[in-house]
Amino acid sequence: MKTNLINVKRDDTTKEVSKRIEDSKKLKETNTVKKPIDKTAKKMMNLMALYNKNANEELIEVLLKVKEDDLKKETGAYFKSIYGIFKHMIQCDMYFFGIFRKYSNKKNIANEELLTYLNNDFSFNRDIDKDLKTLIEVREKLDDVIIAIVNSIDDFNIAGKVVVPNIEVKKTRYHLIMHELNHSTHHRGEISVLLDQMGYKNDYSNLMTMV
């Protein structure tokens, strides 16, 4: 009988200690103020994604007026021609935003299958670079996919990772996305110089007036 009473007291003590620990945890959780998500990066990325789309639209208007021989003319640029540079921009966007798609909270995005049109060697696995018209159709849809991805990311300050030739890069999401959007800005500028040299009027980079 005495032994049973001792065991009961032990059980009661254990339960009381467990209850106090649990109450303490709940109190701590209640008193903890969650740090609000920084919305500045989201605003900036949304702005850049929209600018990217608008700048590409104006670039396309110019390219439609360029002779095919000039589009594919060897210029000494790394990607050979205006056509080659335009194609490269699409390939890189498919690769990077295929990674960034994982950051999105959206279940389905229209035309997101475009992100799967790239082989490991960066060549297309679809016949989409046969002519400028087909590439333009892909470019226009891809820009909407980019906007949808960026708009549906909640927190840009979480770390992300991309693998590029010979290096693995770990940065915040906004840093990685900014890189890719800036990459397109770089190549649009390159195309602009080549168009200037060929005598084609062009002006499609004014961020202040485009968005």
Side-chain angles (χ1 to χ4, degrees):
M1 185 70 174
K2 186 175 181 181
T3 303
N4 289 340
L5 287 172
I6 291 172
N7 289 336
V8 169
K9 287 181 179 179
R10 283 176 180 170
D11 289 342
D12 288 345
T13 301
T14 302
K15 288 178 182 178
E16 182 62 28
V17 171
S18 297
K19 187 176 183 303
R20 286 180 182 177
I21 292 173
E22 191 62 32
D23 289 344
S24 177
K25 285 181 180 179
K26 287 180 181 179
L27 183 62
K28 198 171 184 179
E29 289 173 0
T30 302
N31 291 335
T32 300
V33 178
K34 289 185 178 180
K35 187 178 179 181
I37 295 174
D38 182 2
K39 298 295 184 181
T40 304
K42 186 174 181 70
K43 290 178 181 177
M44 290 295 295
M45 294 304 97
N46 286 342
L47 179 69
M48 287 302 298
L50 182 58
Y51 166 68
N52 179 70
K53 174 181 168 66
N54 291 346
N56 283 336
E57 286 178 348
E58 295 204 13
L59 168 60
I60 286 168
E61 286 185 19
V62 175
L63 295 184
L64 287 171
K65 299 173 184 176
V66 178
K67 295 176 183 177
E68 186 172 357
D69 287 347
D70 287 338
L71 280 175
K72 297 183 177 180
K73 178 181 177 181
E74 283 272 354
T75 62
Y78 187 84
F79 294 102
K80 312 298 184 185
S81 64
I82 291 174
Y83 193 82
I85 298 167
F86 189 66
K87 174 181 169 181
H88 168 73
M89 291 165 63
I90 293 172
Q91 289 167 321
C92 288
D93 280 345
M94 284 180 176
Y95 174 73
F96 278 95
F97 281 93
I99 296 171
F100 303 152
R101 175 66 176 99
K102 300 171 186 175
Y103 307 157
S104 168
N105 62 25
K106 206 166 186 178
K107 188 174 181 180
N108 297 304
I109 290 176
N111 298 312
E112 65 177 312
E113 67 276 4
L114 290 172
L115 302 175
T116 68
Y117 286 4
L118 205 63
N119 294 315
N120 290 334
D121 64 355
F122 266 53
S123 62
F124 294 124
N125 56 34
R126 300 284 194 286
D127 189 18
I128 58 175
D129 58 339
K130 58 183 179 181
D131 55 44
L132 182 63
K133 181 183 176 183
T134 311
L135 271 183
I136 286 174
E137 288 175 358
V138 171
R139 176 74 271 171
E140 290 174 338
K141 291 177 183 177
L142 184 57
D143 285 338
D144 287 332
V145 171
I146 289 172
I147 286 177
I149 290 173
V150 173
N151 284 347
S152 60
I153 297 174
D154 293 323
D155 193 347
F156 284 85
N157 294 293
I158 299 173
K161 179 180 73 173
V162 296
V163 178
V164 291
N166 303 317
I167 188 170
E168 181 180 284
V169 181
K170 292 181 179 179
K171 300 282 186 179
T172 54
R173 290 174 175 178
Y174 73 81
H175 196 145
L176 296 175
I177 294 171
M178 177 64 83
H179 158 79
E180 183 51 24
L181 294 173
N182 188 59
H183 170 265
S184 293
T185 300
H186 161 73
H187 284 300
R188 280 192 296 266
E190 185 181 20
I191 290 174
S192 180
V193 171
L194 296 176
L195 289 170
D196 284 343
Q197 292 173 349
M198 294 178 188
Y200 290 97
K201 186 177 179 181
N202 67 94
D203 183 12
Y204 48 81
S205 63
N206 199 330
L207 175 64
M208 288 191 296
T209 58
M210 281 188 183
V211 290

